[in-house]
Amino acid sequence: MARDERNQSIIVSGESGAGKTVSAKYAMRYFATVSGSASEANVEEKVLASNPIMESIGNAKTTRNDNSSRFGKYIEIGFDKRYRIIGANMRTYLLEKSRVVFQAEEERNYHIFYQLCASAKLPEFKMLRLGNADFFHYTKQGGSPIIEGIDDAKEMMHTRQACTLLGINESYQMGIFRILAGILHLGNVGFTSRDSDSCSVPPKHEPLSIFCELMGVEYEEMSHWLCHRKLATATETYIKPISKLQATNARDALAKHIYAKLFNWIVDHVNQALHSAVKQHSFIGVLDIYGFETFEINSFEQFCINYANEKLQQQFNMHVFKLEQEEYMKEQIPWTLIDFYDNQPCINLIEAKLGILDLLDEECKMPKGSDDTWAQKLYNTHLNKCALFEKPRMSNKAFIIQHFADKVEYQCEGFLEKNKDTVFEDQIKVLKSSKFKMLPELFQDDEKVISPSSATPSGRTPLSRTPIKPTKVKPGQSTKEHKKTVGHQFRNSLHLLMETLNATTPHYVRCIKPNDFKFPFTFDEKRAVQQLRACGVLETIRISAAGFPSRWTYQEFFSRYRVLMKQRDVLSDRKQTCKNVLEKLILDKDKYQFGKTKIFFRAGQVAYLEKIRADKLRAACIRIQKTIRGWLLRKKYLRMKKAAITIQRYVRGYQARCYAKFLRRTNAATVIQKYWRMYVVRKRYQTRRAATIILQSHLRGYMARNRFRKILREHKAIIIQKHVRSWLARLHYKRCLKAIVYLQCCFRRMMAKRELKKLKIEARSVERYKKLHIGMENKIMQLQRKVDEQNKDYKCLLEKLTTLEGTYNSETEKLRNDLDRLHLSEEEAKIATSKVLSLQEEITKLRKDLDRTRSEKKTIEEKADKYKQETELLVSNLKEENTLLKKEKETLNHLISEQAKEITETMEKKLIEETKQLELDLNDERLRYQNLLNEFSRLEERYDDLKEEMTLMVHVPKPGHRRTDSTHSSNESEYTFSSEITETEDIPFRMEEPSEKKAPLDMSLFLKLQKRVTELELEKQSMQDELDRKEEQLLRSKAKEEERPQIRGAELEYESLKRQELESENKKLKNELNELRKALSEKGAPEVTAPGAPAYRVLMEQLTSVSEELDVRKEEVLILRSQLVSQKEAIQPKEDKNTMTDSTILLEDVQKMKDKGEIAQAYIGLKETNRSFPMDCHELNEDEELWLVYEGLKQANRLLESQLQSQKKSHDNETEALRGEIQSLKEENNRQQQLLAQNLQLPPEARIEASLQHEITRLTNENLDLMEQLEKQDKTVRKLKKQLKVFAKKIGELEVGQMENISPGQIIDEPIRPVNIPRKEKDFQGMLEYKKDDEQKLVKNLILDLKPRGVAVNLIPGLPAYILFMCVRHADYLNDDQKVRSLLTSTINSIKKVLKKRGDDFETVSFWLSNTCRFLHCLKQYSGEEGFMKHNTPRQNEHCLTNFDLAEYRQVLSDLAIQIYQQLVRVLENILQPMIVSGMLEHETIQGVSGVKPTGLRKRTSSIADEGTYTLDSILRQLNSFHSVMCQHGMDPELIKQVVKQMFYIVGAITLNNLLLRKDMCSWSKGMQIRYNVSQLEEWLRDKNLMNSGAKETLEPLIQAAQLLQVKKKTDEDAEAICSMCNALTTAQIVKVLNLYTPVNEFEERVSVSFIRTIQMRLRDRKDSPQLLMDAKHIFPVTFPFNPSSLALETIQIPTSLGLGFIARV
């Protein structure tokens, strides 16, 4: 192509199975390797990738070939001007569509169908509902669905990879596979005959329903048009039913049509992927077309294939024989003509006028044309007129054609149908209306130029240097084009192919088939010679030997070989010049001939000339290179020499200057050292002398002052004790007397008041019951009427239904009887006719066979004698060859087997290593994710705790605990209580806003602050406990005490003075904080204390928050002070007790009401009663009620005082903490200054690097903190939104409550129970209905207040999870997203609260872990996803969620389950940890083994087992209790295995760590004890069927450590055994055990140092961690395998013990 500048073609030909496809692939691979790609798109890879796609959809197994091409293709590979591949184009010819619906015996359908069936188990192919190839009608007819040595699943992978490389994305690939699967299911569609002219598809036919579902068409339309067809006349259209046979043929025609359209679509897409936008310069075409075929039954496809091969053979003859010999004659070269076989008569027989194809097209146009009439026309036209056309003797429906390769007999049956290729239009219309977008695309190009698979090019014009414009289609032309027969279209496409091949330079590849049996290494000489003769190869060899294959024009020869000529040889006459040169170069004149315009060369002469030319050019190149390289190196040498001299000069000068500078510096340094040392010594002496004098003076003064203070303190204490003891004795006596009198009065009054209340309540309740009963009676009457009406309607519907059922049953029975009768008559008729026909045919066949056998017998007897003689000679020769071949075969087999073994071993090792690495990576990833979850939950708990502390710090609760008295509850009190809750819940979020705006801190500062926070939390907890204890003591003392009225006034004054003192102290604290702030801003370094610095901002925000809290405390003190002043003015201490104020409250109620709102409400209620009864003042005051009110207020004030004191203490602690932080900041500031000073001393480059490094670390820390703050802000926004919804709901409820205005007495009354109306039993749908208002109650009863022990023992496992999921199902059924969201969030938050509250209880954590997993499995099982619905019953599939996809909540629940699992592991560890060391190491389970203690060790009390220590039995009992609790709670078996694995890891890690740290445990007897204990644990695993849980493997390090204690430890063999045995222990652990090993008795010896060193030397190459101890806190990553439940939701009953009466089953 490059030399001649002309397009080239490679024509690969040969019989079927000769290797044409493989040869074409090798040719394409060669072009792709040699030329490369012009762009980065790897076009050559795409060109090669088209092969597996086309083979999968166009190749199939035949009796002659396992990978036979059932279509022809011509691939044009385009090149640019630099001869690099830029693209390609493919044209296809005559796809064998009949193979889709029919295969002969031992043959297969197209490969793609078997690849799909082999890959049916892939998850993405589950929707295709495929199965084994034997399941489908279209793939099982041949009876051999498997090809030896071919894995269809792997081939499918290659096909999909090739599609991806060619730009066919995953969605289009799945579309292609969907259409192919639809074709397979269409083949399984069956028909039932109604009568001889009609049929039907069985109702709800599964194959057809799957086909319609895959194709996206309506089932009814498709089933109708498969059994009917539309007939159009001039005026009307008729719909006519068709017979069963016609319906089957129509079904097969539709399948073939769909496959052909899909084939064209794939070819178009492949061409689009291979098309290039760059202009094409030239191309090479590769023609891979079906070979010559002859089978037992040859049909229309074989006829077209052999016709195409005739055309190709004719083209070969023209090019090789005709054109070549004409060229010699034209150039007047002496030549003798060579005869060859010309197949033009055979081509004329097929394609000429009134040829076979013309007669076939004419018969197709006839209205009642058939295969028989067409056969008769062939006989009449060509029999005895054409020598190449014959008629078989025994058949009137076949004909024989003498092709260039062999005679072929064609059966006429099916020729017309295949040539017409008719498909019912109505079926195509149904497919065009498909919802599946890709299917209508296949039928869109019907009006375009039809692709060569239907016998024309696939939308691609022939490649040439000038592109040809596509012809425009005229308006009425599309219908005519559509009516063209397949034969006519195929003839046109062949003519186009011949034009393309003639426009290029052809090259021929002849593939010779070695044998007809597909045997390897078997060569049939006669068969090969027959093929060589048939394709004209022998004549070609004769022409090549005698002819001149290479030729040049005189001008071309001169231009090419001008290099070989000297100047004097060049003449004006080019022809004479060429002759002169050739005479010099080629001495043998027979090797070339001079023609008129060209020079002709024999084979090999052009290559010889090219070699001489290349040698000449190479010599010239070497000369040029030699000269240029010498010049370049000389220039380089001079430049280097000059540079070296310059460098030497500068370096020597620099060294001299440096030496001088060094001498000056050393001299100066000695002088500085002298003076500095003198100064340091003198300074040290002076400071020491001054310090000793100051210390002596201070110490003496301090001792004198302490002595004086001690004497003075003792004297004053004696005086104070004297006065206080006398005052306390008097006070105690007076209080006791007063308390007795006061208790008597209170008790009498209380009894009277209770009687009065009971009477009032009874009067009110009777009236209310009467009012309520009136409304309820009306409602009951209405409901009763509705029930009666519904019963009547129900009875009417039942009667109608029974009548309809009766009529339907009678009609169906009649129809069934008629059908059975018709079937019997039809079968009898068919049997009779078939018997008659078969008998007649057998008689005729037997007669013909008799005559033929008689004649054949004679000829066979004659041939037998000759054949015997020949075979005897052949057998002897073959035996000798066979022995040689056997020997060679055995050696080759031996070598192949060895190589295969080596390859398989290496591959298996690599596979095992890769799988292990992948498993480790997966576990690490899971572990990282679960650790992050653990950290997140810990931070979340910390955040909640801090939030509660902030609420306690900012909002001091009012007197007493909040508690509502049942006798004084009303709507107003509920409103005030809820409003206070909202305020207290809202404050933390407001307080968090400034903290979230903090600037990022330095990490060291952050860690110090975090440590300080933990210390403050511990201090706060201790202070809180002390405060609670003091409050209890105060309450007890207040209950016992009773003071006089005179002393009460004094105490009030004392309290006011105390509050004044607190106020002044708060002011002082505020001033101190302001001073600290100023000091920090003045003294701090500019880097740390600058206004924008992170530390400055953090400290300032903390100081402002503290100052705001102090202001709040100040306001509270002022309020309390004003209240006390008002109380002091209102209450005067009078002795007669006759006066009273308006506010009188019972002592009993005051003591109960701890809430501010309740006190205020009670106060207002009593005010109103006093207004209504102004005359009863004296009566109310006679029992000292006024004094009781004062007593209640006094108690409230004392409680406030105690809380204020606690707040003061907490503020003191906070100020101390702040001072500590200020001190730490100062230290940090000093450290930063030191660093800065160090940086300043560094050189400029190092200083810049240090500052850059510092800035980078600061910025990364800031980024991390900002990311954390962003996450926190997102979380707070979500929480605030949720709380806003809750608060809005509460406000709405309170407003409704206020509008109702229910009196306090009505609230006390017992509610009336509604009347239960009995209902009839109905089918439940497995849902639970509840009101939105009852959500909190549901969560409270089902989660917060639930006792795990009762639920686990008495009820079904996972009952709360089932109940919650049924509630979610009902919300999904109602399509209420708010309800679903709120229920799921409240469920998750409630579970977290329960685990936070009772997180140390194993039963609680285990219970909620199993329920969370069950809830997660329910969400998966009923999600509607196919992967989770495999094990469901049809009833369970009906219960799937319909409206919402809860995949995100599944992830949240999975994270929650991981957190619960980690909490469970922590609880297990806390319970097991104290038992492990005692039970596994210290306790002697085998008595007498370790009777002698190791020598030289001190006695440990912890090592001696006494009554309080744990044993191995106690560990096993604890494991049994854990296992039984988890089983009772219904935990998944896989999860139980993971928990057991984690428990055993904890046991093994703690035991091994203690063994490594204790010398007294490292002995032979202790190793035996440990092995016995481990065997007991393994026995426990066997009893519980948990051996496959992986728990035993976690004990492997402990087992190896015990074995290490027991093995011999002397020789090198022992060291080798230890190294191979202890693979689970690290080197450090092995060495540690050997060092600690201590002999118990005199028979044992210590391990020598040399032995330990040999162990270390042997283990130095082992790559393990240097860590000595195992990580006992390590938690394995947990997984939750899907475990569907077989329990039906509708059968679940809700027990009354759960208190869920407000939930209704639906």
Side-chain angles (χ1 to χ4, degrees), residues 1303-1322:
S1303 62
Q1306 290 174 346
I1307 293 168
I1308 299 161
D1309 298 336
E1310 294 180 359
I1312 300 167
R1313 293 182 181 175
V1315 180
N1316 291 325
I1317 301 169
R1319 292 186 180 181
K1320 292 185 179 179
E1321 290 294 326
K1322 62 177 181 179

Side-chain angles (χ1 to χ4, degrees), residues 550-565:
S550 304
R551 64 209 65 184
W552 293 90
T553 63
Y554 289 105
Q555 183 60 40
E556 286 173 349
F557 182 84
F558 179 80
S559 302
R560 181 75 179 169
Y561 300 109
R562 172 69 181 80
V563 181
L564 303 177
M565 303 175 191

Side-chain angles (χ1 to χ4, degrees), residues 533-571:
R533 280 185 182 144
C535 60
V537 173
L538 299 178
E539 289 84 354
T540 309
I541 292 165
R542 284 167 59 197
I543 278 190
S544 298
F548 301 92
S550 304
R551 64 209 65 184
W552 293 90
T553 63
Y554 289 105
Q555 183 60 40
E556 286 173 349
F557 182 84
F558 179 80
S559 302
R560 181 75 179 169
Y561 300 109
R562 172 69 181 80
V563 181
L564 303 177
M565 303 175 191
K566 295 179 180 178
Q567 188 64 35
R568 63 174 178 271
D569 295 336
V570 178
L571 305 174

Side-chain angles (χ1 to χ4, degrees), residues 604-615:
Q605 297 309 306
V606 173
Y608 171 68
L609 290 173
E610 287 291 322
K611 180 179 178 298
I612 298 169
R613 181 175 177 271
D615 292 341

Side-chain angles (χ1 to χ4, degrees), residues 951-963 976-977 979-981 983-984 1027 1031 1035 1059 1111-1123 1127 1150-1160 1192-1204 1206-1207:
T951 51
L952 288 170
M953 287 165 64
V954 176
H955 288 274
V956 181
K958 296 303 174 187
H961 299 287
R962 289 178 178 166
R963 183 172 142 195
T976 55
F977 179 67
S979 66
E980 285 182 12
I981 289 171
E983 287 174 5
T984 54
L1027 182 66
E1031 280 180 358
L1035 289 169
R1059 278 156 183 73
D1111 291 334
V1112 171
R1113 298 292 172 273
K1114 181 181 174 184
E1115 289 172 4
E1116 289 176 357
V1117 167
L1118 290 172
I1119 292 164
L1120 290 169
R1121 189 175 175 188
S1122 62
Q1123 286 180 358
Q1127 289 171 10
V1150 169
Q1151 288 172 350
K1152 288 180 182 177
M1153 288 189 288
K1154 303 293 183 184
D1155 196 2
K1156 178 182 77 173
E1158 292 179 78
I1159 294 169
L1193 287 171
K1194 186 71 180 68
Q1195 290 178 357
N1197 289 335
R1198 286 184 178 175
L1199 189 62
L1200 271 174
E1201 181 190 346
S1202 65
Q1203 289 179 352
L1204 275 172
S1206 66
Q1207 287 296 329

Side-chain angles (χ1 to χ4, degrees), residues 948-977:
E948 290 173 5
E949 289 171 17
M950 290 294 287
T951 51
L952 288 170
M953 287 165 64
V954 176
H955 288 274
V956 181
K958 296 303 174 187
H961 299 287
R962 289 178 178 166
R963 183 172 142 195
T964 308
D965 192 4
S966 60
T967 56
H968 285 80
S969 63
S970 66
N971 290 328
E972 190 176 348
S973 66
E974 287 175 5
Y975 178 72
T976 55
F977 179 67

